[in-house]
mmCIF file of all heavy atoms in Angstrom:
data_model
loop_
_atom_site.group_PDB
_atom_site.id
_atom_site.type_symbol
_atom_site.label_atom_id
_atom_site.label_comp_id
_atom_site.label_asym_id
_atom_site.label_seq_id
_atom_site.Cartn_x
_atom_site.Cartn_y
_atom_site.Cartn_z
ATOM 1 N N ALA A 180 19.125 -13.310 -9.662
ATOM 2 C CA ALA A 180 19.015 -12.093 -8.874
ATOM 3 C C ALA A 180 20.229 -11.195 -9.061
ATOM 4 O O ALA A 180 21.360 -11.669 -9.228
ATOM 5 C CB ALA A 180 18.863 -12.447 -7.401
ATOM 6 N N HIS A 181 19.993 -9.878 -9.044
ATOM 7 C CA HIS A 181 21.056 -8.877 -8.935
ATOM 8 C C HIS A 181 21.190 -8.508 -7.456
ATOM 9 O O HIS A 181 20.193 -8.365 -6.749
ATOM 10 C CB HIS A 181 20.712 -7.634 -9.749
ATOM 11 C CG HIS A 181 20.470 -7.894 -11.200
ATOM 12 N ND1 HIS A 181 21.472 -8.099 -12.106
ATOM 13 C CD2 HIS A 181 19.313 -7.986 -11.911
ATOM 14 C CE1 HIS A 181 20.978 -8.292 -13.313
ATOM 15 N NE2 HIS A 181 19.656 -8.237 -13.219
ATOM 16 N N PHE A 182 22.419 -8.328 -6.990
ATOM 17 C CA PHE A 182 22.664 -8.096 -5.574
ATOM 18 C C PHE A 182 23.265 -6.716 -5.330
ATOM 19 O O PHE A 182 24.101 -6.249 -6.100
ATOM 20 C CB PHE A 182 23.614 -9.164 -5.008
ATOM 21 C CG PHE A 182 22.998 -10.530 -4.901
ATOM 22 C CD1 PHE A 182 23.068 -11.419 -5.963
ATOM 23 C CD2 PHE A 182 22.326 -10.915 -3.752
ATOM 24 C CE1 PHE A 182 22.500 -12.676 -5.876
ATOM 25 C CE2 PHE A 182 21.748 -12.168 -3.662
ATOM 26 C CZ PHE A 182 21.840 -13.058 -4.714
ATOM 27 N N TYR A 183 22.830 -6.104 -4.212
ATOM 28 C CA TYR A 183 23.352 -4.817 -3.771
ATOM 29 C C TYR A 183 23.583 -4.885 -2.257
ATOM 30 O O TYR A 183 22.737 -5.418 -1.520
ATOM 31 C CB TYR A 183 22.377 -3.688 -4.112
ATOM 32 C CG TYR A 183 22.069 -3.607 -5.578
ATOM 33 C CD1 TYR A 183 20.992 -4.319 -6.125
ATOM 34 C CD2 TYR A 183 22.857 -2.842 -6.438
ATOM 35 C CE1 TYR A 183 20.715 -4.262 -7.484
ATOM 36 C CE2 TYR A 183 22.579 -2.787 -7.795
ATOM 37 C CZ TYR A 183 21.515 -3.498 -8.315
ATOM 38 O OH TYR A 183 21.252 -3.448 -9.670
ATOM 39 N N ALA A 184 24.719 -4.365 -1.801
ATOM 40 C CA ALA A 184 25.053 -4.369 -0.378
ATOM 41 C C ALA A 184 24.243 -3.287 0.323
ATOM 42 O O ALA A 184 24.571 -2.101 0.238
ATOM 43 C CB ALA A 184 26.548 -4.157 -0.177
ATOM 44 N N SER A 185 23.187 -3.679 1.025
ATOM 45 C CA SER A 185 22.202 -2.715 1.533
ATOM 46 C C SER A 185 22.363 -2.392 3.009
ATOM 47 O O SER A 185 21.565 -1.631 3.559
ATOM 48 C CB SER A 185 20.791 -3.235 1.284
ATOM 49 O OG SER A 185 20.620 -4.522 1.831
ATOM 50 N N GLY A 186 23.387 -2.936 3.683
ATOM 51 C CA GLY A 186 23.613 -2.613 5.081
ATOM 52 C C GLY A 186 23.452 -3.814 5.980
ATOM 53 O O GLY A 186 22.797 -4.807 5.637
ATOM 54 N N ASN A 187 24.048 -3.732 7.165
ATOM 55 C CA ASN A 187 24.035 -4.852 8.099
ATOM 56 C C ASN A 187 22.633 -5.121 8.629
ATOM 57 O O ASN A 187 21.909 -4.210 9.016
ATOM 58 C CB ASN A 187 24.973 -4.558 9.275
ATOM 59 C CG ASN A 187 26.430 -4.622 8.864
ATOM 60 O OD1 ASN A 187 26.827 -5.488 8.087
ATOM 61 N ND2 ASN A 187 27.224 -3.695 9.367
ATOM 62 N N ASP A 188 22.290 -6.418 8.616
ATOM 63 C CA ASP A 188 21.004 -6.863 9.155
ATOM 64 C C ASP A 188 19.853 -6.153 8.441
ATOM 65 O O ASP A 188 18.999 -5.519 9.062
ATOM 66 C CB ASP A 188 20.954 -6.621 10.660
ATOM 67 C CG ASP A 188 19.838 -7.374 11.364
ATOM 68 O OD1 ASP A 188 19.091 -8.096 10.675
ATOM 69 O OD2 ASP A 188 19.708 -7.220 12.589
ATOM 70 N N SER A 189 19.837 -6.259 7.112
ATOM 71 C CA SER A 189 18.801 -5.604 6.310
ATOM 72 C C SER A 189 17.442 -6.233 6.604
ATOM 73 O O SER A 189 17.291 -7.450 6.557
ATOM 74 C CB SER A 189 19.125 -5.740 4.819
ATOM 75 O OG SER A 189 20.302 -5.046 4.504
ATOM 76 N N ARG A 190 16.470 -5.399 6.879
ATOM 77 C CA ARG A 190 15.144 -5.903 7.250
ATOM 78 C C ARG A 190 14.072 -5.338 6.322
ATOM 79 O O ARG A 190 13.978 -5.699 5.169
ATOM 80 C CB ARG A 190 14.871 -5.619 8.717
ATOM 81 C CG ARG A 190 15.886 -6.315 9.631
ATOM 82 C CD ARG A 190 15.433 -6.391 11.060
ATOM 83 N NE ARG A 190 16.464 -6.989 11.910
ATOM 84 C CZ ARG A 190 16.327 -7.217 13.209
ATOM 85 N NH1 ARG A 190 15.196 -6.879 13.822
ATOM 86 N NH2 ARG A 190 17.308 -7.756 13.903
ATOM 87 N N GLY A 191 13.223 -4.418 6.811
ATOM 88 C CA GLY A 191 12.126 -3.934 5.986
ATOM 89 C C GLY A 191 12.599 -3.151 4.782
ATOM 90 O O GLY A 191 13.717 -2.617 4.756
ATOM 91 N N LEU A 192 11.750 -3.077 3.763
ATOM 92 C CA LEU A 192 12.054 -2.295 2.569
ATOM 93 C C LEU A 192 10.767 -1.757 1.975
ATOM 94 O O LEU A 192 9.671 -2.252 2.264
ATOM 95 C CB LEU A 192 12.811 -3.114 1.530
ATOM 96 C CG LEU A 192 12.044 -4.152 0.682
ATOM 97 C CD1 LEU A 192 12.900 -4.603 -0.500
ATOM 98 C CD2 LEU A 192 11.584 -5.351 1.483
ATOM 99 N N VAL A 193 10.918 -0.720 1.133
ATOM 100 C CA VAL A 193 9.785 -0.132 0.437
ATOM 101 C C VAL A 193 10.231 0.247 -0.964
ATOM 102 O O VAL A 193 11.387 0.632 -1.184
ATOM 103 C CB VAL A 193 9.230 1.099 1.201
ATOM 104 C CG1 VAL A 193 10.247 2.230 1.259
ATOM 105 C CG2 VAL A 193 7.921 1.577 0.594
ATOM 106 N N ALA A 194 9.331 0.099 -1.920
ATOM 107 C CA ALA A 194 9.577 0.485 -3.308
ATOM 108 C C ALA A 194 8.757 1.728 -3.612
ATOM 109 O O ALA A 194 7.531 1.722 -3.455
ATOM 110 C CB ALA A 194 9.197 -0.654 -4.261
ATOM 111 N N ALA A 195 9.418 2.812 -4.039
ATOM 112 C CA ALA A 195 8.744 4.082 -4.333
ATOM 113 C C ALA A 195 9.686 4.938 -5.165
ATOM 114 O O ALA A 195 10.902 4.707 -5.190
ATOM 115 C CB ALA A 195 8.360 4.805 -3.047
ATOM 116 N N ASP A 196 9.135 5.931 -5.843
ATOM 117 C CA ASP A 196 9.965 6.888 -6.577
ATOM 118 C C ASP A 196 10.544 7.873 -5.565
ATOM 119 O O ASP A 196 9.840 8.732 -5.037
ATOM 120 C CB ASP A 196 9.119 7.620 -7.622
ATOM 121 C CG ASP A 196 9.937 8.619 -8.442
ATOM 122 O OD1 ASP A 196 11.172 8.670 -8.279
ATOM 123 O OD2 ASP A 196 9.326 9.350 -9.246
ATOM 124 N N LEU A 197 11.852 7.769 -5.318
ATOM 125 C CA LEU A 197 12.505 8.575 -4.290
ATOM 126 C C LEU A 197 13.317 9.728 -4.846
ATOM 127 O O LEU A 197 13.932 10.467 -4.074
ATOM 128 C CB LEU A 197 13.400 7.683 -3.421
ATOM 129 C CG LEU A 197 12.691 6.526 -2.708
ATOM 130 C CD1 LEU A 197 13.694 5.664 -1.959
ATOM 131 C CD2 LEU A 197 11.609 7.042 -1.769
ATOM 132 N N ASP A 198 13.364 9.884 -6.168
ATOM 133 C CA ASP A 198 14.152 10.979 -6.751
ATOM 134 C C ASP A 198 13.425 11.688 -7.882
ATOM 135 O O ASP A 198 14.046 12.385 -8.683
ATOM 136 C CB ASP A 198 15.517 10.483 -7.223
ATOM 137 C CG ASP A 198 15.411 9.323 -8.199
ATOM 138 O OD1 ASP A 198 14.282 8.950 -8.587
ATOM 139 O OD2 ASP A 198 16.465 8.787 -8.585
ATOM 140 N N GLU A 199 12.112 11.515 -7.968
ATOM 141 C CA GLU A 199 11.253 12.272 -8.882
ATOM 142 C C GLU A 199 11.601 12.072 -10.356
ATOM 143 O O GLU A 199 11.443 12.986 -11.162
ATOM 144 C CB GLU A 199 11.289 13.766 -8.542
ATOM 145 C CG GLU A 199 10.800 14.098 -7.149
ATOM 146 C CD GLU A 199 10.751 15.591 -6.898
ATOM 147 O OE1 GLU A 199 9.939 16.276 -7.561
ATOM 148 O OE2 GLU A 199 11.523 16.080 -6.067
ATOM 149 N N ASP A 200 12.052 10.870 -10.719
ATOM 150 C CA ASP A 200 12.350 10.614 -12.132
ATOM 151 C C ASP A 200 11.404 9.588 -12.738
ATOM 152 O O ASP A 200 11.651 9.057 -13.813
ATOM 153 C CB ASP A 200 13.800 10.172 -12.313
ATOM 154 C CG ASP A 200 14.114 8.861 -11.605
ATOM 155 O OD1 ASP A 200 13.225 8.338 -10.881
ATOM 156 O OD2 ASP A 200 15.238 8.349 -11.772
ATOM 157 N N ASP A 201 10.305 9.285 -12.021
ATOM 158 C CA ASP A 201 9.230 8.426 -12.520
ATOM 159 C C ASP A 201 9.623 6.974 -12.680
ATOM 160 O O ASP A 201 8.953 6.229 -13.410
ATOM 161 C CB ASP A 201 8.660 8.949 -13.849
ATOM 162 C CG ASP A 201 7.959 10.284 -13.690
ATOM 163 O OD1 ASP A 201 7.382 10.525 -12.617
ATOM 164 O OD2 ASP A 201 8.011 11.097 -14.630
ATOM 165 N N ASP A 202 10.690 6.520 -12.014
ATOM 166 C CA ASP A 202 10.894 5.083 -11.888
ATOM 167 C C ASP A 202 10.964 4.731 -10.410
ATOM 168 O O ASP A 202 10.999 5.596 -9.543
ATOM 169 C CB ASP A 202 12.121 4.594 -12.668
ATOM 170 C CG ASP A 202 13.389 5.345 -12.324
ATOM 171 O OD1 ASP A 202 13.589 5.678 -11.141
ATOM 172 O OD2 ASP A 202 14.191 5.612 -13.244
#
Side-chain angles (χ1 to χ4, degrees):
H181 302 282
F182 290 89
Y183 302 90
S185 55
N187 288 320
D188 196 0
S189 295
R190 299 197 183 182
L192 76 166
V193 64
D196 181 6
L197 301 176
D198 55 5
E199 299 185 66
D200 63 355
D201 294 328
D202 54 38

